[in-house]
């Protein structure tokens, strides 16, 4: 496909008739809409605004949108906005392999990575399905060799530890998924190194035995500065512990990369290189060879179920009509809060310890994708884009920042996530029931609040009364899974991918590049050279010069 922005004629969001309609609705009634009253007026509100997703294995996830600040009129206008913004056209272009990442002239085709139906999927006229499947089969064979003990270290010992060295999507995805699916793990221990701070690699290596450790070097180009620096330190550590025999590297280092020349130069056997294409963005790469650490940890069959769960959401997103499309509604609600209610943040709070890294993963997915201020028409946006996504696992979060969510001056739309069935039903499910009671209570409390009359009836008097009042009417989406299985985790991730996609489509921005990451990297290379020079640095602003020179003095 020619390098061109085929979507540059898409209109600014504010030029769409439905946008103006939503603004009028918000001004006249939307900002005053009371969800508790809406439930009183419509006994079937939950039935209309809750949707159940059925996964490929017949497991289910319930999405309850009924506590959000919408009514039928608002929802109708939001669906009109999706139609006018051509969300479906952009979606279809993505699934057709078109170069919708026009600033980098690339397709956005991570959906092909979870195409376990092996249907033909084309980029630039080439069916990529066979290549994707070949990489997966390579991952299957390799992961089964390592897990079974058939693959041995240089002294003939079985691998016991896997260290994934990457950064960004090459780290956040595998870290989150291995933590979320720890229940499915075998005997292998996995470790992740991403920070260029030497402490990260040093502390990791302290618990590793060079005879039984396998390193996965995750870098598409094999030139990512932080990753290659950490990988080189790991290699030097390995060689220093094993007699500096370079041939031993081949048994202990694997590359998740496409740059065979650099991989070979590093000392890794290119037969142990797992590739992925330029149309796989870093924050969408856990579905690719970057997920090798996941396959090693939980086994290939579970990894494939993870892919199939996401594939099931792909099918739902493509085939479901607007009013039944779960991720579409999630994305539309985000736009409603961001652009009409003036909400700047989005809270995701999993009521599940296994999901403790899920919000961190979503931060990159959301904020790297939609932290943009230029539209597909190459002009600066005049409206807000990109929510600040944050979160921590509950119930811990209830004892930290939930105070702000309940009684602060900011509107914070929130997603709460819970599994009905725990992997660890200890004490006759006492813990799970306590966890669930908080999941239900927090969403209810944020909606109903507590008025002055109720506070007084409980005995509060005088100046204490306003401090105990909760305004309520604070929106939540409750996501209740039967269980956090590989399939349901894959589905949850894909859901948030499409929420992000819908936001970007409506805001008319390119959600798939990340130029904002580049400037700091470029300047860091310049400063890195200056740090090797003992003379005072004078080439920057006064603050930066002073900081660099003080660092040199103290180092």
């Amino acid at each position: 496909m020619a390098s061109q922005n085929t979507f540059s004629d898409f209109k600014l969001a504010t030029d769409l008739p439905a946008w103006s309609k939503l603004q009028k609705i918000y001004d006249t009634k939307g900002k005053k809409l009371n969800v508790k009253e809406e439930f009183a007026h419509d006994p079937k509100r939950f039935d209309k605004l809750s949707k159940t997703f059925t996964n490929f294995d017949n497991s289910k996830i319930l999405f309850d949108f009924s506590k959000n600040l919408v009514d039928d009129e608002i929802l109708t206008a939001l669906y009109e906005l999706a139609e006018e913004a051509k969300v479906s056209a952009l979606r279809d272009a993505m699934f057709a392999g078109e170069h919708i990442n026009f600033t980098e002239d690339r397709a956005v085709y991570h959906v092909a990575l979870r195409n376990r139906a092996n249907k033909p999927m084309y980029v630039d006229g080439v069916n990529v399905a066979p290549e994707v499947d070949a990489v997966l089969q390579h991952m299957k064979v390799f992961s089964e060799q390592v897990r079974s003990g058939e693959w041995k270290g240089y002294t003939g010992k079985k691998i016991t530890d896997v260290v994934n060295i990457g950064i960004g999507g090459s780290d956040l995805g595998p870290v989150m998924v291995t933590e979320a699916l720890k229940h499915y793990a075998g005997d292998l221990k996995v470790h992740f190194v991403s920070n260029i701070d030497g402490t990260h690699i040093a502390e990791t290596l302290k618990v590793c035995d060079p005879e039984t450790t396998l390193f996965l070097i995750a870098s598409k180009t094999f030139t990512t500065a932080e990753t290659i620096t950490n990988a080189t330190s790991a290699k030097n550590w390995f060689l220093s512990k094993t007699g500096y025999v370079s041939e031993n590297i081949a048994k202990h280092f694997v590359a998740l990369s496409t740059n065979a020349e650099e991989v070979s130069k590093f000392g890794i056997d290119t037969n142990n290189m797992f590739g992925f294409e330029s149309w796989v963005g870093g924050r969408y790469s856990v579905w690719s060879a970057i997920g090798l650490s996941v396959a090693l940890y939980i086994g290939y069959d579970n990894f494939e179920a993870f892919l199939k769960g996401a594939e099931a959401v792909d099918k739902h997103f493509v085939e479901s009509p607007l009013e039944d499309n779960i991720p579409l509604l999630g994305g539309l609600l985000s736009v409603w809060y961001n652009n009409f209610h003036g909400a700047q943040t989005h809270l995701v709070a999993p009521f599940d310890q296994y999901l403790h890294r899920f919000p961190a993963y979503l931060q990159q997915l959301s904020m790297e994708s939609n932290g943009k201020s230029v539209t597909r028409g190459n002009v600066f946006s005049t409206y807000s884009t990109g929510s600040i996504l944050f979160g921590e696992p509950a119930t811990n979060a209830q004892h930290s920042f939930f105070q702000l969510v309940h009684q602060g001056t900011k509107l914070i739309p929130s997603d709460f996530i819970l599994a009905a069935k725990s992997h660890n039903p200890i004490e006759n499910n006492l813990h799970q029931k306590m966890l669930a009671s908080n999941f239900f209570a927090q969403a209810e409390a944020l909606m109903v609040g507590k008025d002055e009359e109720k506070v007084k009836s409980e005995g509060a008097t005088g100046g204490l009364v306003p401090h105990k009042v909760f305004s309520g009417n604070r929106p939540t989406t409750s996501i209740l899974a039967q269980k956090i299985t590989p399939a349901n985790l894959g589905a949850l991730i894909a859901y948030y991918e499409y929420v992000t996609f819908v936001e970007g489509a409506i805001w008319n921005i390119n959600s798939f590049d990340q130029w904002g990451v580049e400037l700091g990297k470029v300047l860091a290379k310049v400063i890195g050279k200056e740090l090797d020079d003992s003379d005072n640095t004078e080439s920057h602003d006064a603050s930066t010069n002073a900081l660099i020179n003080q660092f040199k003095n103290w180092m």
Side-chain angles (χ1 to χ4, degrees), residues 478-538:
S478 296
I479 302 173
L480 179 62
Q482 284 183 306
K483 200 171 191 177
I484 299 300
T485 61
N488 279 341
L489 179 66
L492 283 173
I493 296 171
Y495 164 77
Y496 279 102
E497 284 181 354
Y498 289 126
V499 167
T500 303
F501 176 92
V502 170
E503 292 171 338
I506 289 172
W507 290 327
N508 196 29
I509 57 178
N510 181 4
S511 298
F512 306 104
D513 59 11
Q514 52 278 326
W515 299 106
V517 177
E518 301 299 320
L519 180 58
K521 288 184 176 182
V522 172
L523 293 177
K525 289 181 180 179
V526 173
I527 294 173
K529 294 177 181 178
E530 293 173 345
L531 294 179
D532 292 329
D533 186 347
S534 59
D535 293 338
N536 272 0
T537 296
E538 298 179 352

Side-chain angles (χ1 to χ4, degrees), residues 61-323:
I61 305 175
L62 171 64
F63 294 80
D64 176 17
F65 298 105
S66 65
K67 292 186 177 76
N68 281 281
L69 307 179
V70 292
D71 62 8
D72 290 344
E73 184 182 15
I74 294 167
L75 285 171
T76 298
L78 285 170
Y79 288 130
E80 288 174 5
L81 181 66
E83 291 181 322
E84 293 173 7
K86 303 180 184 178
V87 173
S88 297
L90 189 66
R91 175 202 65 197
D92 294 345
M94 179 175 73
F95 274 84
E98 294 184 30
H99 290 206
I100 64 171
N101 178 359
F102 65 92
T103 61
E104 297 179 301
D105 193 21
R106 291 175 182 169
V108 176
Y109 224 37
H110 51 276
V111 293
L113 299 171
R114 54 227 196 186
N115 170 29
R116 299 319 300 134
N118 275 322
K119 62 186 178 184
M121 297 185 76
Y122 293 88
V123 174
D124 299 328
V126 177
N127 178 15
V128 302
E131 177 192 353
V132 168
D133 191 60
V135 172
L136 286 172
Q137 294 312 310
H138 188 192
M139 291 170 66
K140 178 180 181 180
V141 170
F142 181 76
S143 62
E144 289 177 349
Q145 286 177 333
V146 173
R147 285 168 60 86
S148 69
E150 180 184 346
W151 179 283
K152 294 178 173 59
Y154 78 100
T155 61
K157 292 182 178 179
K158 180 180 178 180
I159 297 298
T160 60
D161 292 77
V162 175
V163 179
N164 187 92
I165 299 178
I167 199 167
S170 300
D171 172 79
L172 287 166
V175 168
M176 182 273 290
V177 175
T178 53
E179 285 295 305
L181 300 179
K182 186 177 288 187
H183 175 77
Y184 297 87
D187 296 330
L188 283 174
K189 302 183 187 72
V190 292
H191 315 270
F192 294 88
V193 174
S194 58
N195 200 331
I196 194 59
D197 184 343
T199 299
H200 205 179
I201 184 73
E203 289 292 336
T204 301
L205 295 176
K206 283 180 182 179
V207 298
C208 292
D209 181 342
E211 295 182 66
T212 59
T213 298
L214 176 70
F215 294 91
L216 312 181
I217 314 304
S219 172
K220 186 188 297 185
T221 62
F222 224 73
T223 58
T224 307
E226 298 93 337
T227 298
I228 299 307
T229 299
N230 278 326
T232 301
S233 295
K235 182 174 75 169
N236 291 340
W237 170 83
F238 176 79
L239 289 173
S240 71
K241 299 285 187 180
T242 58
Y244 293 96
V245 180
S246 59
E247 288 80 5
N248 293 339
I249 292 173
K251 282 291 184 182
H252 292 269
F253 284 79
V254 166
L256 314 180
S257 178
T258 55
N259 191 337
E261 182 179 353
E262 289 297 323
V263 167
S264 179
K265 191 185 301 182
F266 187 88
I268 295 175
D269 185 343
T270 53
N271 287 325
N272 299 328
M273 186 175 84
F274 298 80
F276 50 102
E277 293 300 324
S278 63
W279 37 258
V280 181
R283 54 193 175 276
Y284 302 96
S285 63
V286 72
W287 316 105
S288 72
I290 292 296
L292 181 60
S293 58
V294 178
L296 285 163
Y297 190 55
I298 66 173
Y300 181 79
D301 289 346
N302 283 321
F303 180 72
E304 186 163 56
F306 171 67
L307 299 180
K308 287 181 177 179
E311 181 186 30
V313 175
D314 296 338
K315 181 178 174 65
H316 170 86
F317 186 61
V318 169
E319 297 179 0
S320 297
L322 293 181
E323 61 275 9

